[in-house]
Amino acid sequence: MLWLNSFIYLVLTLILTAEAQFDRDPNGYLTYCPCMGRFGNQADHFLGSLAFAKALNRTLILPPWVEYRKGEMRSRQVSFENYFEVEPLQQYHRVILMSDFMSHLADDVWPAAERVSFCYMERKSLQQEKNDPDAPNCHAKDGNPFGPFWDTYNIDFVRSEFYGPLHFDVHHSAMATKWINNYPADKWPVLAFTGAPASFPVQLENRELQKHLQWNRKYSDAAREFIRNVLPRGAFIGLHLRNGIDWVRACDHIKDSQQLFASPQCLGYKNERGQLYPELCMPSKEAVVRQLKRTIKNVRQTHPKNEVKSVFVASDANHLITELTAALSRMDITVHKLPEDDPYLDLAILGQSNHFIGNCISSYSAFVKRERDSHGFPSYFWSFPKEKDRQQSKLHEEL
C-alpha cells in the first residue's frame, strides 16, 4: 500500500510539474522567422533576438533552424533542440520551444483569430495581385522560407502591424521602454516578427551570449568521439575554408564595401583594425599553407609539450586535403575531415580544437570564434593581419 501511495504521489508530482512548466507568462512572448541566410546568419540573429526578448522581459519562443536541402523547393524547419540545449538559455532568460508553445499555450495565449505579423513597413508580395495599396501588409508567409516556416506550425496571420520607427538596439537608448509602452503584453501577448528582431552581424554587446548556446549531448559526444577515435593523440588545429562558387561571388563585393558579413569580428565594428581586402575573404592555397605552417611553428615554440599532431578541416567545397597533406608530410602531421558532410558536427569539433583558423568574413567562422572566446581558446583568421603588415610588425619588434 505504501508503494502504491508513493507511486501515485510521484505521478501527480510529474503532472503538476509538467503543467507548471507551461504556465502562461503574463509578460508576453516574442517569436520570429529566422528567414535570412543559412545557419551562421541565423545564429547571429538568434543572439540579438535573445537579448531583445530579455530587454522587453518577454519569453522567447525558440524558432526552429531553417535549412535548405539540395533539390528541395521548400525549406526544412529543424527543431531548436536538435542541435542545442535549452536549459543553459533558461539560466539567462525565459525561453520555450515553439513546438511546446503551440501545443500547450497557443490556443489560450494566441488564438488563431488574433495572430498578427510584425514588420517595420509594408513588405510587398512577389505575387502582384496580392498587393493592395489600400491595405498594406507584411505578407509574412510570402515566399520561401517564410511560408514553409509558419506552415510548419499551422500559423496564419489575420493582419499586419508596422512597428516603424521603433528598432531593435536596446543597448544605446530607451528603446526597450518604447516597445513595452507601445505594445503592452495584456493587449499584445505575442510579438511575431516576419524576420529576426536583431541586426546582422551580431551586435558587439550580444556576442557574449554565445556562452548560453551549448551543443546538445548528441553533438558534444560526437565531437569528442571523433577527436578521441580518429585524430592522433596530441594537439590539433581546426581550419574553416570557404571556397565554394557562391563564396567566390560574395567576395566580389569586397571592393565596394567597408564591411562584409562577419568582418567586424577581425576589422572591428568601426574598422578600427583595418579595411577589407580580397585575401581576407578568399586566401590563396599558397597563403593557407604558409599561414598553417607558421601557426604550427608558433605552437611548437609556445607549447613545446603539446605539439600539433593533426589538422581538422571544415569546408563548404574544397577541403584541400591533398594539398595540405603534401605540405605537412615532412612534419608528421595528418589532415582530416568528416567522412560525410555534417556542418553542425564540423562546428562542434572546430570549437574544441586547440587552435582555430577561420575566415574573418564568414558568419560560420564567427560562430566558432564566439564559442571559443567564451572558453578562452585561441583563434586566428586567414590573411589577417596582412602579410605585409605582419612582416613590418615583426621587423619593428626585431629593431
Side-chain angles (χ1 to χ4, degrees), residues 121-141:
M121 58 188 294
E122 180 183 10
R123 178 172 173 263
K124 296 288 187 181
S125 173
L126 298 174
Q127 299 170 272
Q128 289 301 320
E129 63 273 14
K130 289 185 177 181
N131 295 318
D132 183 351
D134 297 322
N137 198 294
C138 289
H139 296 292
K141 298 182 64 175

Side-chain angles (χ1 to χ4, degrees), residues 69-134:
R69 308 289 173 83
K70 188 175 182 180
E72 296 184 10
M73 297 296 291
R74 291 168 64 88
S75 64
R76 288 195 186 189
Q77 283 56 244
V78 180
S79 188
F80 186 92
E81 82 276 20
N82 269 40
Y83 304 123
F84 300 100
E85 298 286 355
V86 173
E87 185 178 353
L89 292 169
Q90 292 172 331
Q91 295 172 8
Y92 171 74
H93 185 59
R94 303 183 307 279
V95 298
I96 183 173
L97 292 170
M98 183 170 274
S99 56
D100 286 338
F101 176 81
M102 294 306 297
S103 298
H104 300 282
L105 293 168
D107 287 345
D108 174 50
V109 176
W110 202 37
E114 299 176 12
R115 293 175 184 173
V116 178
S117 63
F118 276 66
C119 54
Y120 185 84
M121 58 188 294
E122 180 183 10
R123 178 172 173 263
K124 296 288 187 181
S125 173
L126 298 174
Q127 299 170 272
Q128 289 301 320
E129 63 273 14
K130 289 185 177 181
N131 295 318
D132 183 351
D134 297 322

Side-chain angles (χ1 to χ4, degrees), residues 211-364:
K211 64 186 177 185
H212 302 291
L213 192 57
Q214 299 178 16
W215 295 104
N216 64 17
R217 178 66 64 84
K218 173 185 174 182
Y219 276 90
S220 57
D221 286 353
R224 280 193 292 268
E225 287 177 12
F226 181 89
I227 294 168
R228 184 185 304 117
N229 299 329
V230 177
L231 302 184
R233 184 182 295 274
F236 77 100
I237 297 178
L239 309 182
H240 177 220
L241 301 174
R242 284 297 313 253
N243 47 33
I245 186 61
D246 63 327
W247 190 251
V248 174
R249 295 190 184 112
C251 291
D252 287 340
H253 295 287
I254 286 283
K255 59 182 180 295
D256 304 315
S257 310
Q258 283 192 311
Q259 299 276 14
L260 185 64
F261 305 146
S263 62
Q265 67 176 327
C266 69
L267 298 179
Y269 281 78
K270 298 180 180 179
N271 290 97
E272 61 268 25
R273 291 192 291 275
Q275 302 296 321
L276 286 173
Y277 47 94
E279 297 80 14
L280 200 61
C281 192
M282 182 64 71
S284 66
K285 293 178 183 179
E286 294 76 15
V288 167
V289 170
R290 281 197 305 272
Q291 184 168 346
L292 178 56
K293 284 186 173 181
R294 186 166 56 243
T295 302
I296 293 170
K297 180 181 177 181
N298 290 341
V299 172
R300 184 176 295 163
Q301 293 174 345
T302 57
H303 300 80
K305 295 183 179 180
N306 193 26
E307 291 189 12
V308 174
K309 295 297 183 180
S310 62
V311 172
F312 174 77
V313 187
S315 177
D316 60 327
N318 187 354
H319 291 73
L320 300 183
I321 298 297
T322 301
E323 293 87 343
L324 295 177
T325 298
L328 303 178
S329 59
R330 292 185 179 182
M331 305 175 77
D332 194 28
I333 294 175
T334 55
V335 184
H336 306 261
K337 72 180 187 71
L338 290 178
E340 296 182 4
D341 288 342
D342 186 336
Y344 300 97
L345 184 54
D346 275 339
L347 283 171
I349 294 170
L350 292 173
Q352 294 187 33
S353 61
N354 298 82
H355 302 266
F356 169 67
I357 309 176
N359 189 301
C360 168
I361 312 297
S362 168
S363 58
Y364 187 92

Side-chain angles (χ1 to χ4, degrees), residues 24 37 44 113 160 169 183 192 231 345:
R24 177 172 182 162
D44 271 43
S160 300
D169 183 359
Y183 299 106
L231 302 184
L345 184 54

Side-chain angles (χ1 to χ4, degrees), residues 174-194:
M175 187 52 58
T177 301
K178 293 180 180 179
W179 275 98
I180 293 169
N181 291 339
N182 282 25
Y183 299 106
D186 59 339
K187 296 181 180 179
W188 302 88
V190 178
L191 305 184
F193 292 92
T194 305

